[in-house]
Amino acid sequence: MSNLDAAQLTADLIRCPSVTPEEGGALVLLGDLLTEAGFEVSRADRAEVSNLVARWGQKGHAKTFGFNGHTDVVPIGDANAWSVDPFGADIKDGILYGRGATDMKSGVAAFVAAAVDLVKDTPPDGAILITVTGDEEGPALHGTTAILDHMAQEGEQMSVCLVGEPTCPNEMGDMIKIGRRGSLTAWFTYRGIQGHSAYPHRAKNPLPAMAKLMDLMASHELDQGTDHFDASTVAVVTMDTGNPATNVIPAECRSTVNIRFNDAHSGESVTEWMQGLVNQVIDETGVLIEMAVKVSGESFITPPGDLSDLVARAVTAETGRVPELSTTGGTSDARFIKSHCPVVEFGLVGKTMHQVDECVPVAQIHQLKAIYARILSDYFAA
């Protein structure tokens, strides 16, 4: 009986220094392993980003289970703050340390190991499609989007997809993500007239306009939540003047907001709301205000049903917990996959992701592999 060690594979991946957008050897390692296991492996590289697509079974099979994940990681920060080598994959007292241990080389290792064991031991009547990107932690312009473009060109189609991001806030098995809020960032530039602070009537101060606009946005309640989503939020993340002088009214200042919005809104509707407030403040103050907007992703949900039930049953069987179906948290690459097929997310406890001394219990990696293996077995048995 095959038994690919997911914890050892996680350690091998951690030793690949794949800080976005560097491939670091991680996808080469996975490609070789999957090829040996009988998967048809191809690359969907674009720009400076490396991406992998691996399929076992018939292309276009009506029963194709997809896994998605990433091997790129965030920078380590201050190397001296780490108690271990960030890319050393040290194990201490049953805990595996290293950048990407939680987010999300362990998730990738667990679903690859589960898939390899299944096709070697009990080849299913169907197909498995594994997609791994090197651009999830970065701009995400040439990662999973490039993979989906490649799949469209090659006639590859997932029936359903599970993204292996860390989803559990406290205990293994306590949460499945069935959607995500949308994310939007807006940058504002305010232009007035510089002058002496003793003669404010000779200047046009942009700072009160900035304060007014930011207060209007931050104090506004966009909604009180919807059936599957928490209330939308507006966060003022920076307000800058760059003015070191106390006797000068600056000519220009800037501010930025980040908005996480639920399915009561779209990126377009939120932008229209912001533009209305901008126009209001311009009329009231005479200060010119320019706005630039980037929508990182629209809100989406995979309604509770067959896919979430499949994952939840496996989680409960392996952990004894009934997972909450949630749409909380930030964005993930599921926002791209949702237009391709039904998608949910399930993975490890994410408490240490992006932190110094990022780590994961080795036992948790084995448990995650067991959950993924049960999901695959149950999916193809149905």
Side-chain angles (χ1 to χ4, degrees):
M1 181 176 180
S2 301
N3 186 22
L4 180 56
D5 190 332
Q8 181 59 56
L9 180 54
T10 302
D12 291 342
L13 289 171
I14 288 172
R15 294 187 184 103
C16 298
S18 51
V19 177
T20 313
E22 295 298 324
E23 185 270 334
L27 294 185
V28 172
L29 187 159
L30 290 174
D32 290 346
L33 188 157
L34 288 164
T35 298
E36 184 180 345
F39 283 74
E40 184 176 325
V41 177
S42 59
R43 292 287 286 267
D45 298 356
R46 192 166 75 188
E48 60 180 356
V49 176
S50 301
N51 303 297
L52 179 144
V53 178
R55 174 179 40 81
W56 185 94
Q58 178 186 342
K59 182 187 293 188
H61 196 287
K63 211 170 177 63
T64 299
F65 194 96
F67 284 107
N68 173 265
H70 65 91
T71 51
D72 64 314
V73 297
V74 298
I76 63 171
D78 181 5
N80 293 324
W82 286 71
S83 66
V84 295
D85 178 353
F87 300 110
D90 293 339
I91 297 177
K92 298 180 180 181
D93 299 322
I95 307 294
L96 174 61
Y97 289 83
R99 177 58 83 223
T102 299
D103 188 14
M104 60 165 286
K105 290 183 173 180
S106 47
V108 170
F111 65 61
V112 166
V116 167
D117 284 1
L118 180 72
V119 302
K120 285 186 174 181
D121 293 336
T122 53
D125 182 13
I128 299 174
L129 199 61
I130 290 175
T131 60
V132 184
T133 178
D135 184 32
E136 196 274 345
E137 299 290 7
L141 297 174
H142 303 294
T144 294
T145 55
I147 288 173
L148 292 170
D149 289 345
H150 171 83
M151 288 170 55
Q153 293 169 4
E154 297 297 319
E156 300 280 13
Q157 175 70 45
M158 296 182 286
S159 306
V160 296
C161 183
L162 191 156
V163 178
E165 287 281 1
T167 59
C168 300
N170 296 304
E171 302 291 340
M172 188 64 174
D174 61 6
M175 186 174 288
I176 297 170
K177 297 293 177 69
I178 60 170
R180 296 279 187 159
R181 293 182 298 176
S183 177
L184 175 155
T185 300
W187 294 266
F188 302 92
T189 302
Y190 309 79
R191 292 190 172 91
I193 299 174
Q194 183 173 320
H196 198 297
S197 60
Y199 306 96
H201 58 286
R202 295 177 180 170
K204 185 174 290 183
N205 195 339
L207 290 169
M210 178 170 67
K212 182 184 288 288
L213 181 61
M214 292 299 94
D215 180 58
L216 286 171
M217 289 188 177
S219 61
H220 181 76
E221 182 181 76
L222 282 168
D223 56 73
Q224 294 184 333
T226 63
D227 288 347
H228 294 288
F229 288 87
D230 291 340
S232 301
T233 59
V234 181
V236 179
V237 294
T238 186
M239 297 173 67
D240 305 297
T241 64
N243 179 22
T246 59
N247 60 348
V248 174
I249 293 172
E252 187 175 291
C253 55
R254 294 178 173 83
S255 64
T256 308
V257 300
N258 181 257
I259 300 177
R260 302 300 170 112
F261 56 93
N262 59 34
D263 56 350
H265 312 275
S266 66
E268 183 180 4
S269 69
V270 173
T271 300
E272 290 175 353
W273 166 69
M274 292 190 299
Q275 188 62 60
L277 294 182
V278 167
N279 294 341
Q280 175 185 330
V281 174
I282 290 173
D283 290 343
E284 292 176 0
T285 66
V287 170
L288 297 178
I289 305 174
E290 296 176 0
M291 179 177 72
V293 176
K294 179 183 178 181
V295 179
S296 300
E298 300 286 349
S299 68
F300 73 93
I301 186 167
T302 299
D306 291 345
L307 180 56
S308 56
D309 289 348
L310 170 75
V311 177
R313 285 194 301 269
V315 169
T316 301
E318 295 294 336
T319 69
R321 296 186 178 88
V322 177
E324 175 188 354
L325 303 183
S326 173
T327 58
T328 57
T331 57
S332 75
D333 277 2
R335 71 189 188 273
F336 305 123
I337 299 168
K338 54 90 175 174
S339 299
H340 176 88
C341 69
V343 57
V344 299
E345 302 172 60
F346 179 76
L348 298 172
V349 177
K351 288 182 178 179
T352 67
M353 56 184 175
H354 295 199
Q355 293 185 1
V356 167
D357 283 353
E358 181 179 352
C359 61
V360 58
V362 170
Q364 201 175 100
I365 303 174
H366 294 310
Q367 191 174 34
L368 184 62
K369 178 192 171 183
I371 292 169
Y372 290 158
R374 185 179 289 270
I375 290 169
L376 285 173
S377 177
D378 290 351
Y379 176 76
F380 289 112

